[in-house]
């Protein structure tokens, strides 16, 4: 796993899923977005994660997006697709496709709705990891799943299952990330999934971030990691505070509602969301507009 763990660092963009007006996947725009991130200096690409509306996609659509992303990237950047669902056979099937396509790792969300115990989570991740030949990143996002991976469970999985190599941490409790790294040690790849914690996580040994804001300002998000890697903490800290307002508003009215609205204003995608998400409200638009104006995101495609 050493090659993979050295390759997976920095800003891995959780790509939105662009749709045509009729709700079908806009495949040419998926390709354009990926090319954009390659040229803007992002360090990796993820599709069908939370920002990609996976719960509103069919199994065939998820597999299609994996195929398109892998073909478009063609190995130029690390590829870390979201492959988890609430069903074990389906999760294994999507994760196997990711492995067949040469993905660097698979991002597997904590199974949602069922609210399993920690023992259930241990068994779930063990089963997924043992069924596939690909590195696994656990995806801890309690606001979506209703369950948090205990640091002790993460550490147990890391010690017991060789291809579990890291985690996307989207718990708002920063102490949780600290305890995870204490349980796992410094070689565990811990990525921030919460925008305000991207910079702080680097200070305790984080590997990078999977941040929705990178859909809007990929160069700056990537640079924040690069500055730290170069030892320029002052530059990284300044970027963190400059990004703070934008990071706050991208979660307005449930991700990816706000980021897709902003991208549609810039003309890079259409505004379509899939049910049950609704278009950004007038009040939401006003809130987002204020924070985005200084970044040139209202009609200036980046």
């Amino acid at each position: 796993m050493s090659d993979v763990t050295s390759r997976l660092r920095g800003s891995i963009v959780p790509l939105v899923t662009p749709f045509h007006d009729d709700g079908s996947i806009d495949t040419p725009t998926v390709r354009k977005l990926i090319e954009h991130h390659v040229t803007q200096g992002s360090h990796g690409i993820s599709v069908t994660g939370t920002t990609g509306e996976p719960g509103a996609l069919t199994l065939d659509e998820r597999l299609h997006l994996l195929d398109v992303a892998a073909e478009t990237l063609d190995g130029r950047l690390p590829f870390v697709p979201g492959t988890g669902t609430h069903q074990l056979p389906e999760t294994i099937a999507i994760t196997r496709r990711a492995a067949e396509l040469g993905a660097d790792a698979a991002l597997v969300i904590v199974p949602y709705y069922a609210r399993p115990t920690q023992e259930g989570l241990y068994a779930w991740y063990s089963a997924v990891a043992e069924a596939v030949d690909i590195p696994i990143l656990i995806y801890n996002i309690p606001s979506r799943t209703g369950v948090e991976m205990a640091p002790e469970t993460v550490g147990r999985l890391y010690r017991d299952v060789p291809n579990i190599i890291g985690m996307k941490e989207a718990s708002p409790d920063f102490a949780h990330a600290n305890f995870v790294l204490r349980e796992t040690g410094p070689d565990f790849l811990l990525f921030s999934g919460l925008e305000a914690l991207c910079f702080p996580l680097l200070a305790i040994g984080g590997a990078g971030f999977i941040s929705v804001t990178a859909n809007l300002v990929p160069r700056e998000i990537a640079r924040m990691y690069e500055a730290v890697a170069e030892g320029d903490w002052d530059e990284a800290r300044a970027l963190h505070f400059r990004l703070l307002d934008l990071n706050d508003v991208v979660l307005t009215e449930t991700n990816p509602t706000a980021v897709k609205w902003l991208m549609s204003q810039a003309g890079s995608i259409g505004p379509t969301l899939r049910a049950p998400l609704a278009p950004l409200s007038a009040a939401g638009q006003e809130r987002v507009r204020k924070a985005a104006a200084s970044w040139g995101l209202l009609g200036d495609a980046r």
Side-chain angles (χ1 to χ4, degrees), residues 12 14 26 36 44 46 48 54 76 85 105 117 129 133-134 142 145 153 172 174-175 198 201 205 215 222 227 237:
I12 298 174
D26 183 354
H36 175 67
S46 181
T48 68
R76 291 177 293 168
T85 75
T117 63
D133 184 21
I134 186 174
T145 65
T153 306
F174 188 57
C198 288
L201 193 67
N215 283 278
R237 186 179 299 107

Side-chain angles (χ1 to χ4, degrees), residues 174 177-178 181 190 192 197-209 224-225 228-229 233 236-237:
F174 188 57
N178 287 263
L181 284 176
L190 191 62
S192 176
L197 297 183
C198 288
F199 172 70
L201 193 67
L202 296 177
I204 61 169
F209 14 87
M224 186 164 63
Y225 171 82
V228 168
W233 287 88
R237 186 179 299 107

Side-chain angles (χ1 to χ4, degrees), residues 46-268:
S46 181
V47 296
T48 68
T50 300
T51 305
E53 300 173 71
L57 299 171
T58 67
L59 175 58
D60 285 345
E61 286 174 327
R62 290 189 68 166
L63 296 177
H64 169 70
L65 284 165
L66 264 63
D67 292 347
V68 169
E71 180 187 8
T72 305
L73 278 169
D74 194 26
R76 291 177 293 168
L77 293 178
F79 180 37
V80 187
T83 63
T85 75
H86 63 295
Q87 296 181 355
L88 185 59
E90 190 170 82
T91 296
I92 290 172
I94 300 171
T95 308
R96 280 180 173 157
R97 175 66 71 85
E100 292 166 0
L101 293 169
D104 293 84
L107 181 65
V108 180
I109 194 169
V110 167
Y112 36 90
Y113 190 76
R115 296 180 58 123
T117 63
Q118 294 300 308
E119 192 60 33
L121 291 171
Y122 178 87
W124 173 276
Y125 279 102
S126 297
V128 173
E130 290 167 7
V132 299
D133 184 21
I134 186 174
I136 300 295
L137 296 178
I138 297 165
Y139 182 8
N140 181 49
I141 180 166
S143 64
R144 297 272 187 166
T145 65
V147 174
E148 183 155 79
M149 290 284 295
E152 296 79 9
T153 306
V154 178
R156 185 180 167 202
L157 284 163
Y158 183 53
R159 290 187 295 271
D160 293 352
V161 185
N163 56 330
I164 290 181
I165 64 168
M167 185 168 84
K168 178 181 177 181
E169 171 69 289
S171 170
D173 180 3
F174 188 57
H176 187 268
N178 287 263
F179 286 116
V180 166
L181 284 176
R182 188 181 72 174
E183 285 287 330
T184 58
D187 293 334
F188 188 75
L189 300 182
L190 191 62
F191 290 86
S192 176
L194 286 181
E195 283 60 40
L197 297 183
C198 288
F199 172 70
L201 193 67
L202 296 177
I204 61 169
F209 14 87
I210 306 174
S211 167
V212 62
T213 313
N215 283 278
L216 302 170
V217 286
R219 186 186 297 112
E220 289 81 358
I221 299 295
R223 181 58 200 160
M224 186 164 63
Y225 171 82
E226 291 164 0
V228 168
E230 295 166 6
D232 193 342
W233 287 88
D234 288 341
E235 181 188 355
R237 186 179 299 107
L239 272 169
H240 165 71
F241 284 110
R242 186 182 172 212
L243 286 160
L244 208 55
D245 286 344
L246 185 61
N247 281 336
D248 183 43
V249 300
V250 293
L251 301 181
T252 300
E253 295 178 18
T254 307
N255 183 42
T257 303
V259 70
K260 290 189 87 170
W261 180 79
L262 275 170
M263 292 175 73
S264 72
Q265 295 299 295
S268 57

